[in-house]
Coordinates of all heavy atoms in Angstrom, one line a residue:
A252 N -42.9 8.0 59.3 CA -43.5 9.0 60.0 C -45.0 9.2 59.6 O -45.9 9.4 60.5 CB -42.7 10.3 59.7
E253 N -45.2 9.1 58.3 CA -46.6 9.2 57.9 C -47.5 8.2 58.4 O -48.6 8.4 58.8 CB -46.6 9.2 56.3 CG -46.1 10.5 55.6 CD -46.0 10.4 54.1 OE1 -46.1 9.1 53.6 OE2 -45.9 11.4 53.5
E254 N -46.9 6.9 58.5 CA -47.7 5.8 59.0 C -48.0 6.1 60.5 O -49.1 5.8 61.0 CB -46.9 4.5 58.9 CG -47.6 3.3 59.4 CD -49.0 3.0 58.7 OE1 -49.2 3.5 57.6 OE2 -49.8 2.3 59.3
R255 N -46.9 6.5 61.2 CA -47.2 6.8 62.7 C -48.2 7.9 62.8 O -49.1 7.9 63.7 CB -45.8 7.2 63.3 CG -44.9 6.0 63.5 CD -43.8 6.4 64.5 NE -43.0 7.6 64.1 CZ -41.9 7.4 63.2 NH1 -41.5 6.2 62.9 NH2 -41.2 8.5 62.8
Y256 N -48.1 8.9 62.0 CA -49.0 10.0 62.1 C -50.4 9.5 61.7 O -51.4 9.9 62.4 CB -48.6 11.1 61.1 CG -49.5 12.3 61.0 CD1 -49.6 13.2 62.1 CD2 -50.3 12.5 59.9 CE1 -50.5 14.3 62.0 CE2 -51.3 13.6 59.9 CZ -51.3 14.5 61.0 OH -52.2 15.5 60.9
R257 N -50.6 8.7 60.7 CA -51.8 8.2 60.3 C -52.5 7.4 61.4 O -53.7 7.5 61.8 CB -51.7 7.2 59.0 CG -53.1 6.8 58.5 CD -52.8 5.8 57.4 NE -52.2 4.6 57.9 CZ -52.8 3.6 58.6 NH1 -54.1 3.7 58.9 NH2 -52.2 2.6 59.0
V258 N -51.6 6.5 62.0 CA -52.2 5.7 63.1 C -52.6 6.6 64.3 O -53.7 6.4 64.9 CB -51.1 4.6 63.6 CG1 -51.5 4.0 64.9 CG2 -50.8 3.7 62.5
L259 N -51.8 7.6 64.6 CA -52.2 8.5 65.6 C -53.4 9.3 65.3 O -54.3 9.3 66.2 CB -51.0 9.5 65.9 CG -51.2 10.6 66.9 CD1 -51.3 9.9 68.3 CD2 -50.0 11.6 66.9
V260 N -53.5 9.8 64.1 CA -54.6 10.6 63.7 C -55.9 9.8 63.8 O -57.0 10.2 64.2 CB -54.4 11.2 62.3 CG1 -55.7 11.7 61.7 CG2 -53.4 12.3 62.4
E261 N -55.8 8.5 63.3 CA -57.0 7.7 63.2 C -57.4 7.0 64.5 O -58.5 6.6 64.6 CB -56.7 6.6 62.1 CG -56.6 7.2 60.8 CD -56.5 6.1 59.6 OE1 -56.4 5.0 60.0 OE2 -56.5 6.4 58.5
R262 N -56.4 7.1 65.5 CA -56.8 6.5 66.8 C -57.1 7.5 67.9 O -57.6 7.2 68.9 CB -55.7 5.6 67.2 CG -55.6 4.3 66.3 CD -54.6 3.4 66.9 NE -54.5 2.2 66.0 CZ -53.6 1.1 66.3 NH1 -52.9 1.2 67.4 NH2 -53.6 0.1 65.5
V263 N -56.6 8.8 67.7 CA -56.9 9.7 68.7 C -58.4 10.0 68.7 O -59.1 10.0 67.7 CB -56.1 11.1 68.2 CG1 -56.8 11.8 67.1 CG2 -56.1 12.1 69.5
P264 N -58.9 10.2 69.9 CA -60.4 10.3 70.1 C -60.9 11.8 69.7 O -61.5 12.5 70.5 CB -60.6 10.1 71.6 CG -59.3 10.5 72.2 CD -58.3 10.2 71.2
A265 N -60.5 12.2 68.5 CA -60.9 13.5 68.0 C -60.9 13.4 66.4 O -60.3 12.5 65.9 CB -60.0 14.6 68.5
V266 N -61.5 14.4 65.8 CA -61.5 14.5 64.4 C -60.4 15.5 63.9 O -60.4 16.6 64.3 CB -62.9 14.9 63.9 CG1 -62.8 15.1 62.3 CG2 -63.9 13.9 64.2
V267 N -59.4 15.0 63.2 CA -58.4 15.8 62.6 C -58.8 16.1 61.2 O -59.2 15.3 60.4 CB -57.1 15.1 62.7 CG1 -55.9 16.0 62.0 CG2 -56.7 14.7 64.0
Y268 N -58.6 17.4 60.8 CA -59.1 17.8 59.4 C -58.1 18.8 58.8 O -57.4 19.5 59.5 CB -60.6 18.3 59.5 CG -60.7 19.7 60.2 CD1 -60.4 20.9 59.5 CD2 -61.0 19.7 61.5 CE1 -60.6 22.1 60.1 CE2 -61.1 21.0 62.2 CZ -60.9 22.1 61.5 OH -61.1 23.4 62.1
S269 N -58.3 19.0 57.5 CA -57.7 20.0 56.7 C -58.7 20.4 55.8 O -59.3 19.6 55.0 CB -56.5 19.4 55.9 OG -55.9 20.4 55.1
A270 N -59.0 21.7 55.8 CA -60.2 22.2 55.0 C -60.0 23.7 54.5 O -59.3 24.4 55.1 CB -61.5 22.1 55.8
E271 N -60.6 23.9 53.4 CA -60.7 25.3 52.9 C -61.7 26.1 53.8 O -62.7 25.5 54.3 CB -61.1 25.3 51.5 CG -60.2 24.7 50.5 CD -60.7 24.6 49.1 OE1 -61.9 24.9 48.9 OE2 -59.9 24.3 48.2
P272 N -61.4 27.4 54.1 CA -62.4 28.1 54.9 C -63.7 28.3 54.2 O -63.8 28.2 53.0 CB -61.6 29.4 55.2 CG -60.7 29.5 54.0 CD -60.3 28.1 53.7
G273 N -64.7 28.7 55.0 CA -65.9 29.1 54.4 C -67.0 28.0 54.7 O -66.7 26.8 54.9
E274 N -68.3 28.4 54.6 CA -69.4 27.4 54.9 C -69.4 26.3 54.0 O -69.8 25.1 54.3 CB -70.7 28.2 54.9 CG -71.9 27.3 55.3 CD -73.2 28.1 55.4 OE1 -73.1 29.4 55.1 OE2 -74.2 27.6 55.7
N275 N -68.9 26.5 52.7 CA -68.9 25.4 51.7 C -67.5 25.1 51.2 O -67.4 24.6 50.1 CB -69.8 25.8 50.5 CG -71.3 25.9 50.9 OD1 -71.9 25.0 51.4 ND2 -71.9 27.0 50.6
G276 N -66.5 25.5 52.0 CA -65.1 25.1 51.7 C -64.9 23.7 51.6 O -65.5 22.8 52.4
R277 N -64.0 23.2 50.6 CA -63.8 21.8 50.5 C -63.0 21.3 51.7 O -62.1 21.9 52.3 CB -62.9 21.6 49.2 CG -63.7 21.8 47.9 CD -62.8 21.3 46.8 NE -61.5 22.0 46.8 CZ -60.3 21.4 46.7 NH1 -60.2 20.1 46.7 NH2 -59.1 22.1 46.7
W278 N -63.3 20.1 52.1 CA -62.6 19.3 53.1 C -61.5 18.5 52.4 O -61.8 17.5 51.7 CB -63.6 18.5 54.0 CG -64.4 19.4 54.8 CD1 -65.4 20.1 54.5 CD2 -64.3 19.5 56.2 NE1 -66.0 20.8 55.6 CE2 -65.3 20.4 56.7 CE3 -63.4 19.0 57.2 CZ2 -65.4 20.8 57.9 CZ3 -63.6 19.4 58.5 CH2 -64.6 20.3 58.9
L279 N -60.3 18.9 52.6 CA -59.1 18.1 51.9 C -58.8 16.9 52.6 O -58.3 15.9 51.9 CB -57.9 19.1 51.9 CG -58.2 20.5 51.4 CD1 -57.0 21.4 51.5 CD2 -58.7 20.5 49.9
Y280 N -59.0 16.8 53.9 CA -58.8 15.6 54.6 C -59.7 15.6 55.9 O -59.8 16.7 56.5 CB -57.4 15.4 55.0 CG -57.1 14.2 56.0 CD1 -57.1 12.9 55.5 CD2 -57.0 14.4 57.4 CE1 -56.9 11.9 56.3 CE2 -56.8 13.4 58.3 CZ -56.8 12.1 57.7 OH -56.8 11.0 58.6
V281 N -60.2 14.5 56.3 CA -60.9 14.3 57.6 C -60.7 12.9 58.1 O -60.8 12.0 57.3 CB -62.4 14.6 57.4 CG1 -63.1 13.7 56.6 CG2 -63.0 14.7 58.8
S282 N -60.3 12.8 59.4 CA -60.0 11.5 59.9 C -61.3 10.7 60.1 O -62.3 11.2 60.2 CB -59.2 11.6 61.2 OG -60.0 12.2 62.2
P283 N -61.1 9.3 60.2 CA -62.3 8.4 60.3 C -63.2 8.6 61.5 O -64.3 8.2 61.5 CB -61.7 7.0 60.3 CG -60.3 7.2 59.7 CD -59.9 8.5 60.0
Q284 N -62.6 9.3 62.5 CA -63.4 9.5 63.7 C -64.7 10.4 63.5 O -65.6 10.5 64.4 CB -62.6 10.2 64.8 CG -61.7 9.2 65.6 CD -60.4 8.9 64.8 OE1 -60.2 9.4 63.7 NE2 -59.7 8.0 65.2
I285 N -64.8 11.0 62.2 CA -66.0 11.8 62.0 C -67.2 11.0 62.1 O -68.3 11.4 62.4 CB -65.8 12.5 60.6 CG1 -66.8 13.6 60.4 CG2 -65.8 11.5 59.5 CD1 -66.7 14.8 61.3
E286 N -67.0 9.7 61.7 CA -68.2 8.8 61.7 C -68.7 8.5 63.1 O -69.9 8.5 63.4 CB -67.9 7.5 60.9 CG -69.1 6.6 60.7 CD -68.8 5.4 59.8 OE1 -67.6 5.3 59.3 OE2 -69.8 4.7 59.5
T287 N -67.7 8.3 64.0 CA -68.1 8.0 65.4 C -68.7 9.3 66.0 O -69.6 9.2 66.8 CB -66.8 7.7 66.2 OG1 -66.2 6.5 65.6 CG2 -67.1 7.4 67.6

Side-chain angles (χ1 to χ4, degrees):
E253 287 176 345
E254 180 62 19
R255 288 195 298 271
Y256 177 73
R257 184 189 64 78
V258 171
L259 178 64
V260 165
E261 293 183 358
R262 292 186 181 181
V263 71
V266 174
V267 179
Y268 69 85
S269 177
E271 296 175 347
E274 186 172 1
N275 295 306
R277 288 186 307 126
W278 288 70
L279 308 175
Y280 171 79
V281 62
S282 62
Q284 280 78 4
I285 192 72
E286 186 169 5
T287 302

